[in-house]
């Protein structure tokens, strides 16, 4: 049975629907994070594609100006380019774009009192040079990282830091804003990141509403008093507030860990990709404009993205990426008493493959709290009718066989510690009851 949730309730549904209990009042401990809206955001970029491509017929130049006017002040990045923005069309070469989910709540009382401004979700999107593959890497919020020197970011209430110390990844946003988080991930990955965006809670709500909801599969019931998430086993279509709280849940997942939450979020994003690429979704100018408006109103963009042309060019680079070639992975870690330590050797294999534009293949399991949907039984194949011995072969020149596909480079099999799934993989979330928490 499929259950469709309400799009957006008028207000909080009791204290349990608000933010989870506050942690110790120091910058490196965060609250439950907002979802990593990697693909939602990129199809928010596809907004721009839609607005431009259909503006002549359906969406006027006034609508384009409305989206542009919603953009916040841009954020300078370490790898910013001063060159001209791309023309309308797919961007040349590969793309590295960092997406950071902030937990500030923008003062909305529905999210309860917020403390530090933390980047609880950090996701790196890599699009290959030939635009045939995309990889989305989720970095755990509690990953211990080296904090570099970061400039102050007054717009994000970040004072700046001289760096030279270790802290959790989610604290980078509080030290130097979006640019500081980009600098940290550049150190971790060895990749240059010229594009970045920061999104808030309301962006998740509005984008999930714009696509009409996202189907999610629940293998075992999810019960979470902290986010007010109670879902029975089966399939549900989530949008608005319910989609946000589903992505924030941790206590309701089988292991109760932030790593399980990443696995849950990857399953959501895979389903979102299938929804967005389904027939008709991206051909509806009203849906696309809603995505554009939701993205522009709830994101802080780097200077390199402060242009509809730039958004369009990146979105168009994803047009030929199949669901099988959209891979979601989790940065490999070991759990320690004070947080998570990166498995740098395993991570190096991933980033070396991306830097060389080699195809990758998951060698590990699905993320925690995820399980594969059993494949449907294939329909029986009818046996071909036997040919009559009197049948005469047709005359004429025989048709030659279709040419063989050109050989492709062998995929790099990632270490087993790197878990994840593709957008084509259909997975279910494994929850847990209150009595098991």
């Amino acid at each position: 049975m499929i259950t469709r949730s309400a799009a957006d309730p008028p207000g909080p549904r009791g204290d349990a629907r608000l933010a989870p209990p506050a942690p110790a009042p120091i910058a490196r401990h965060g609250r439950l994070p907002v979802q990593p809206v990697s693909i939602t955001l990129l199809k928010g970029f596809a907004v721009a594609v839609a607005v431009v491509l259909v503006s002549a017929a359906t969406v006027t130049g006034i609508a384009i100006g409305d989206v542009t006017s919603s953009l916040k002040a841009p954020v300078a990045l370490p790898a910013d380019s001063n060159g001209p923005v791309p023309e309308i069309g797919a961007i040349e070469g590969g793309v590295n774009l960092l997406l950071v989910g902030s937990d500030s709540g923008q003062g909305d009382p529905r999210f309860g009192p917020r403390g530090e401004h933390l980047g609880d979700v950090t996701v790196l999107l890599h699009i290959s040079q030939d635009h045939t593959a995309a990889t989305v890497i989720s970095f755990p919020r509690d990953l211990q990282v080296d904090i570099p020197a970061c400039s102050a970011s007054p717009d994000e209430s970040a004072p700046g830091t001289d760096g030279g110390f270790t802290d959790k990844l989610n604290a980078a946003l509080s030290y130097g804003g979006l640019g500081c988080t980009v600098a940290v991930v550049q150190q971790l990955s060895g990749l240059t990141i010229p594009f970045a965006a920061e999104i808030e809670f309301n962006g998740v709500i509005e984008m999930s509403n714009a696509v009409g909801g996202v189907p999610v599969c629940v293998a075992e019931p999810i019960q979470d008093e902290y986010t007010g998430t109670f879902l029975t086993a089966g399939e549900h279509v989530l949008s608005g507030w319910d989609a946000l709280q589903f992505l924030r849940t941790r206590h309701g997942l089988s292991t109760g860990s932030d790593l399980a939450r990443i696995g849950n979020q990857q399953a959501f994003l895979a389903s979102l990709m299938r929804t967005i690429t389904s027939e008709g979704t991206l051909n509806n100018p009203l849906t696309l404009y809603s995505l554009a408006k939701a993205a522009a109103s709830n994101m802080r963009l780097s200077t390199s993205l402060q242009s509809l042309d730039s958004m369009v060019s990146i979105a168009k680079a994803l047009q030929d990426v199949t669901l099988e070639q959209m891979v979601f992975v989790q940065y490999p870690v070991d759990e320690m008493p004070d947080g998570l330590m990166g498995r740098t050797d395993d991570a190096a294999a991933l980033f070396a493959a991306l830097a060389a534009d080699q195809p990758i293949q998951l060698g590990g399991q699905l993320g925690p709290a995820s399980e594969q949907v059993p494949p449907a039984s294939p329909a029986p194949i009818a046996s071909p009718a036997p040919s009559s011995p009197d049948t005469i072969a047709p005359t004429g020149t025989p048709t030659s066989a279709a040419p063989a596909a050109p050989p492709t480079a062998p995929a790099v099999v990632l270490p087993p510690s790197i878990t994840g799934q593709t957008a084509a993989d259909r997975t279910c979330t494994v929850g847990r009851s209150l009595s098991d928490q």
Side-chain angles (χ1 to χ4, degrees):
M1 181 179 68
I2 298 178
T3 305
R4 181 175 294 275
S5 70
D8 195 7
R13 306 177 183 177
D15 292 341
R17 301 291 295 187
L18 300 179
I26 54 178
R28 66 174 181 269
H29 294 294
R31 294 173 165 79
L32 295 179
V34 65
Q35 72 136 336
V37 287
S38 60
I39 304 310
T40 317
L41 171 59
L42 284 166
K43 294 306 176 181
F45 288 164
V47 258
V49 177
V51 169
V52 171
L53 295 183
V54 303
S55 61
T58 29
V59 181
T60 67
I62 294 175
I64 298 175
D66 186 24
V67 173
T68 304
S69 67
S70 300
L71 298 174
K72 303 178 186 298
V75 178
L77 301 182
D80 266 341
S81 169
N82 294 323
V85 297
E87 296 296 329
I88 300 300
I91 193 170
E92 293 184 4
V95 174
N96 293 318
L97 187 154
L98 192 74
L99 303 167
V100 177
S102 167
D103 71 348
S104 73
Q106 293 182 304
D108 192 322
R110 289 184 300 172
F111 306 121
R114 314 305 297 170
E116 307 80 28
H117 184 198
L118 300 170
D120 276 347
V121 170
T122 303
V123 175
L124 175 63
L125 167 72
H126 172 82
I127 304 175
S128 64
Q129 293 279 335
D130 60 3
H131 302 169
T132 62
T135 306
V136 180
I137 306 105
S138 295
F139 295 84
R141 64 174 187 171
D142 291 336
L143 175 64
Q144 293 286 342
V145 298
D146 294 329
I147 302 295
C150 296
S151 301
S153 179
D155 289 342
E156 298 171 276
S157 301
T161 177
D162 293 333
F165 58 92
T166 300
D167 206 336
K168 294 183 179 179
L169 174 61
N170 67 346
L173 198 65
S174 67
Y175 290 125
L178 181 61
C180 194
T181 305
V182 168
V184 170
V185 176
Q186 286 190 153
Q187 287 184 165
L188 288 173
S189 65
L191 302 174
T192 299
I193 303 172
F195 305 103
E198 178 184 341
I199 192 162
E200 301 283 352
F201 286 144
N202 282 324
V204 181
I205 290 175
E206 296 304 327
M207 288 183 181
S208 62
N209 285 341
V211 298
V214 177
V216 299
C217 172
V218 178
E220 299 290 340
I222 297 173
Q223 298 182 359
D224 184 356
E225 290 181 325
Y226 292 89
T227 61
T229 304
F230 292 86
L231 295 174
T232 58
E235 186 169 303
H236 304 263
V237 179
L238 302 181
S239 60
W241 179 270
D242 295 306
L244 172 66
Q245 299 300 72
F246 174 78
L247 288 159
R248 296 178 68 204
T249 187
R250 172 172 63 85
H251 298 276
L253 303 180
S254 59
T255 64
S257 69
D258 187 55
L259 300 182
R261 177 164 40 201
I262 289 177
N264 187 44
Q265 292 165 347
Q266 289 177 338
F268 181 93
L269 290 175
S271 179
L272 176 61
M273 273 301 296
R274 295 192 296 270
T275 299
I276 285 179
T277 57
S278 64
E279 184 177 356
T281 301
L282 292 180
N283 296 325
N284 186 328
L286 294 179
T287 298
L288 290 163
Y289 180 72
S290 296
L291 280 169
K293 186 69 174 178
S297 301
N298 295 282
M299 290 192 305
R300 188 183 303 276
L301 303 174
S302 63
T303 304
S304 53
L305 285 180
Q306 202 76 3
S307 158
L308 283 179
D309 288 356
S310 295
M311 295 183 190
V312 170
S313 68
I314 293 175
K316 289 181 74 67
L318 289 169
Q319 286 183 338
D320 296 329
V321 179
T322 66
L323 294 176
E324 290 78 11
Q325 292 302 315
M326 174 70 71
V327 184
F328 301 91
V329 299
Q330 179 179 284
Y331 184 89
V333 295
D334 286 319
E335 298 188 58
M336 309 295 287
D338 295 330
L340 304 173
M341 298 299 296
R343 299 181 63 128
T344 54
D345 289 345
D346 290 353
L350 166 64
F351 293 122
L354 298 185
D357 256 346
Q358 295 175 287
I360 61 173
Q361 177 182 327
L362 289 165
Q365 301 176 344
L366 294 170
S370 295
E371 67 177 37
Q372 196 81 36
V373 175
S377 300
I381 301 175
S383 301
S387 59
S388 168
D390 297 330
T391 301
I392 301 175
T395 59
T397 304
T399 303
S400 60
T408 58
V412 174
V413 179
L414 300 178
S417 63
I418 301 179
T419 60
Q421 67 173 89
T422 72
D425 292 328
R426 297 178 181 271
T427 57
C428 293
T429 297
V430 182
R432 63 176 179 173
S433 65
L434 296 175
S435 61
D436 292 331
Q437 298 175 24

